[in-house]
Amino acid sequence: MTRLAVIVADAMGPDTGPAQALQRFGYTQVQQARAFDDAIDAITNEHVDLLIVPIDGLDDAGIATLERVARRERHMGVIATSPRQDPELMLRAMRAGIQEFLVRPLSLTDLVPSLERLHRRADSREVNGQVFAIFSAKGGVGTTTTALNLASALASNHPDAKVAIADLTVPGGDLAILLNAHPTYDLGELSSKIERLDAELLNSVMTPAADGVWFLAAPDRPDAADAVDAGVVAAILAQMRGSFAFSVIDCEHQLNDRTLAALDNADRIVLLTELKVPSLRAAQRTLGIFRRLGYPNEKLCVVVNRLQSGDVVSPAEASQVLKADIFFKLPNEYRTVSEASTKGEPVVQSHPDSKLSWAYLQLAHKLGGGTLSAPSDGGNGSRSVLRQIFTRKRN
Ligand SMILES: Nc1ncnc2c1ncn2[C@@H]1O[C@H](COP(=O)(O)OP(=O)(O)OP(=O)(O)O)[C@@H](O)[C@H]1O
Ligand SMILES: [Mg+2]
């Protein structure tokens, strides 16, 4: 297993001996960051497992940033160093949630036990996260778009939590396009090593995508589909639950064994439909199957996507036909969705003042709680329009 350690400036001191000890703990990649800000950039863009930082060089804002990052990247070990055993600095480190404090230059006899303690703590740190599967028996209803934006909204409502999004459509790729991501690894790698799956292996194949969201890509090779069977999906979801506060699954439209494994293992199923006859028929059939499978009503959340004034069926009529409550309604905002996908960002990030973004945040809040902070215009989507009018160039 390869691990990445980032060392800020002279956090370890001039001796290269202790740095070699990092290799023994699996840190085959060691990056030197010139300054603390460079290390923060690296942590935002890569999966960093260990940060060694000279805490005496940080001001209050730097400590606050470190605290935030350490809380968000719970998998990451942090060692703070300083030139002396300064009780005030040690207290600052502890308040920032850093449990390892060493005096530099680092010696092997201090560093090795410190790394052992960090690893022991990491092994015992399991979360019991929630899994939301997004499903529609009909294609093109918005499953992938909703999955991505729900994940992004969950991350926004829970700034300290790690959120995963997994593409289970095999062969897949739509999520990678919407995120403009080019992941090196995908779930095909996991299926070939499934008996060795642990938090570390899962983290190593996931790509940091949008803010606070980690992405598990689907293989785009058609021949990879057979290897990703129900057992693989169940094992991956169990590991995701242990490593992420929330996991959102973009499911295939066919109710095959792979999809059923995802739906069985999910806490909630978001069944997407449009208020159109073909889509409602598909939702009605699906709900019939779900009830025969014994899924409890509380597990099923019918979400109407692309709600618009021209819909021939009303939400109340849809509820009657489906014999189920409508859990949530997402507005139709084609332009917003297409602009976001062109930018390779979730709507929640690229169009935070849009009605649709506000709707995703509310849906995420209804499913996963957290802090819902209203956009500055209360979700009317007007601020961006006003801004456009007032910033329009005069010819
Ligand atoms: N709330 C929305 N408002 C407007 N357009 C939307 C909305 N949600 C999704 N769309 C659009 O609907 C189309 C289908 O969306 P998406 O690819 O997410 O659906 P899907 O069910 O995953 O499709 P596929 O069958 O290809 O997997 C896309 O053009 C997307 O931009
Ligand atoms: Mg899709």
Side-chain angles (χ1 to χ4, degrees):
M1 186 54 48
T2 60
R3 287 194 173 121
L4 170 61
V6 171
I7 301 167
V8 180
D10 63 344
M12 294 186 77
D15 190 1
T16 53
Q20 281 161 13
L22 292 174
Q23 292 268 344
R24 294 206 328 256
F25 283 84
Y27 299 98
T28 44
Q29 293 182 64
V30 178
Q31 258 178 38
Q32 189 70 48
R34 256 186 305 151
F36 178 62
D37 287 350
D38 299 325
I40 297 298
D41 284 348
I43 293 164
T44 312
N45 296 319
E46 287 173 89
H47 185 94
V48 175
D49 303 279
L50 175 68
L51 175 71
I52 306 185
V53 56
I55 198 156
D56 51 311
L58 296 186
D59 58 12
D60 287 348
I63 297 270
T65 305
L66 181 58
E67 181 177 359
R68 230 178 16 253
V69 167
R71 238 189 297 143
R72 194 183 67 213
E73 310 289 325
R74 277 186 228 185
H75 63 277
M76 183 177 73
V78 182
I79 298 177
T81 73
S82 107
R84 56 190 184 281
Q85 287 273 12
D86 182 331
E88 199 186 317
L89 278 178
M90 286 168 80
L91 195 66
R92 286 177 88 193
M94 269 166 58
R95 287 208 176 118
I98 297 160
Q99 285 143 322
E100 292 302 319
F101 182 94
L102 300 177
V103 173
R104 24 169 228 277
L106 299 195
S107 70
L108 264 182
T109 44
D110 286 339
L111 180 62
V112 169
S114 173
L115 289 170
E116 279 171 355
R117 280 193 298 273
L118 279 176
H119 282 210
R120 264 201 308 276
R121 265 184 231 125
D123 288 345
S124 60
R125 202 167 34 214
E126 278 248 314
V127 289
N128 186 20
Q130 295 185 61
V131 177
F132 303 135
I134 318 300
F135 178 80
S136 158
K138 213 180 157 309
V141 171
T143 312
T144 306
T145 308
T146 307
L148 172 63
N149 283 287
L150 175 61
S152 175
L154 285 163
S156 170
N157 290 347
H158 299 265
D160 297 334
K162 269 180 80 184
V163 177
I165 180 149
D167 189 348
L168 273 199
T169 66
V170 186
D174 286 359
L175 262 178
I177 295 169
L178 286 191
L179 279 167
N180 193 18
H182 306 279
T184 321
Y185 302 109
D186 56 51
L187 96 101
E189 265 84 30
L190 290 184
S191 51
S192 60
K193 299 176 191 153
I194 201 70
E195 68 293 341
R196 285 196 279 124
L197 180 64
D198 59 9
E200 238 180 284
L201 179 58
L202 180 67
N203 278 332
S204 70
V205 300
M206 295 190 74
T207 315
D211 249 3
V213 177
W214 289 75
F215 170 42
L216 176 60
D220 51 13
R221 306 172 306 279
D223 58 308
D226 291 344
V228 186
D229 59 18
V232 166
V233 170
I236 292 174
L237 260 57
Q239 190 55 60
M240 280 186 151
R241 194 188 285 287
S243 302
F244 293 89
F246 299 100
S247 302
V248 181
I249 317 296
D250 180 15
C251 293
E252 280 162 302
H253 304 301
Q254 300 88 332
L255 277 177
N256 54 25
D257 285 354
R258 196 163 40 223
T259 310
L260 284 172
L263 300 177
D264 285 347
N265 286 285
D267 296 276
R268 307 296 275 282
I269 299 170
V270 171
L271 177 66
L272 268 196
T273 181
E274 288 181 340
L275 293 181
K276 295 196 174 96
V277 174
S279 175
L280 284 167
R281 282 238 170 86
Q284 194 183 32
R285 269 197 306 273
T286 307
L287 280 169
I289 297 170
F290 285 175
R291 288 181 185 126
R292 284 204 294 284
L293 286 168
Y295 293 160
N297 280 339
E298 315 82 76
K299 179 165 173 169
L300 308 176
C301 309
V302 176
V303 172
V304 168
N305 193 27
R306 307 192 69 170
L307 180 77
Q308 50 194 316
S309 50
D311 285 327
V312 280
V313 182
S314 72
E317 286 165 334
S319 175
Q320 263 183 0
V321 169
L322 299 176
K323 297 190 183 68
D325 291 339
I326 305 295
F327 184 79
F328 203 82
K329 300 182 286 268
L330 294 163
N332 183 52
E333 274 193 44
Y334 187 73
R335 202 182 156 147
T336 309
V337 177
S338 349
E339 281 175 8
S341 67
T342 310
K343 283 175 94 175
E345 285 178 5
V347 167
V348 174
Q349 223 172 289
S350 69
H351 294 71
D353 296 330
S354 63
K355 269 191 184 166
L356 186 55
S357 165
W358 178 230
Y360 288 132
L361 290 167
Q362 287 176 298
L363 172 61
H365 186 257
K366 207 166 169 191
L367 284 166
T371 317
L372 186 60
S373 32
S376 43
D377 68 345
N380 286 320
S382 57
R383 204 182 87 172
S384 50
V385 176
L386 282 178
R387 198 193 290 142
Q388 275 169 25
I389 293 168
F390 285 109
T391 54
R392 200 174 282 155
K393 274 196 199 138
R394 284 169 204 215
N395 292 321

